[in-house]
Amino acid sequence: MPDQADPTLVTDADLAWLRRCTALAGEARNRTDHPFGSIVVAADGRVVEAMNTVVTTGDPTGHAETNAVRAASQALTSEELATATLYTSTEPCAMCSGAIYWSGIARVVYALSESGLRELVAAQEGVPTMELPCREVFARGGRRVVVAGPAELPEARSVHEGFWV
């Protein structure tokens, strides 16, 4: 976890990681996937990056966060995950929040909120979006997951503009 007085606050260092997430979201969009990107950063500075792969793989669970959790779980030990931060361009959905919870990742930082995304898209491939913030999912678990966000990052919104029409 970042060295800061309040881990629920988004720092300048967090914003830099979130900007990388939005760049990954743009890369996903450019290859016709949904515009989402995520990064897991270990306490020792190791980084695992992932993008959404729902369209290109035909896997509805291929969200950026679940892809990042899968990759980080292969690259990091459970002890390392327990001190890692997952950064993501958009607030994790209920499925991704569950994956993050079960991975043991300690902290989540996101840019665009779930409600902000809902303002841009009511349905993805005809399926209505879920109105379930990640904090509510994590609150149902038996361990604490620190959440920071939403972060004021205009590019986290703009990467979605015109995509969901």
Side-chain angles (χ1 to χ4, degrees):
M1 230 185 279
D3 182 23
Q4 58 188 38
D6 184 353
T8 64
L9 298 178
V10 178
T11 67
D12 289 341
D14 292 333
L15 287 173
W17 289 117
L18 290 174
R19 284 187 181 92
R20 177 62 187 145
C21 290
T22 59
L24 290 169
E27 290 177 35
R29 179 183 176 146
N30 289 342
R31 67 175 194 207
T32 71
D33 276 305
H34 301 162
F36 300 96
S38 295
I39 299 172
V40 175
V41 180
D44 67 4
R46 283 182 291 162
V47 175
V48 176
E49 296 185 342
M51 293 180 270
N52 185 288
T53 58
V54 168
V55 175
T56 54
T57 65
D59 178 359
T61 68
H63 291 197
E65 298 90 344
T66 55
N67 289 339
V69 166
R70 285 185 194 109
S73 295
Q74 295 295 309
L76 304 170
T77 67
S78 57
E79 292 80 14
E80 291 167 328
L81 288 169
T83 60
T85 297
L86 183 139
Y87 294 93
T88 189
S89 59
T90 305
E91 183 174 359
C93 71
M95 176 186 69
C96 293
S97 296
I100 293 163
Y101 176 82
W102 290 113
S103 75
I105 290 172
R107 182 172 181 251
V108 173
V109 183
Y110 65 89
L112 182 64
S113 69
E114 175 263 338
S115 61
L117 179 63
R118 265 195 341 271
E119 291 172 6
L120 298 169
V121 55
Q124 296 177 27
E125 275 86 43
V127 178
T129 60
M130 294 181 74
E131 294 184 35
L132 185 56
C134 69
R135 283 178 175 88
E136 289 184 35
V137 176
F138 296 140
R140 303 288 188 208
R143 72 170 184 87
R144 183 173 186 233
V145 178
V146 175
V147 179
E152 289 297 320
L153 204 61
E155 55 265 46
R157 176 178 282 276
S158 64
V159 74
H160 290 279
E161 291 173 352
F163 182 84
W164 301 102
V165 290

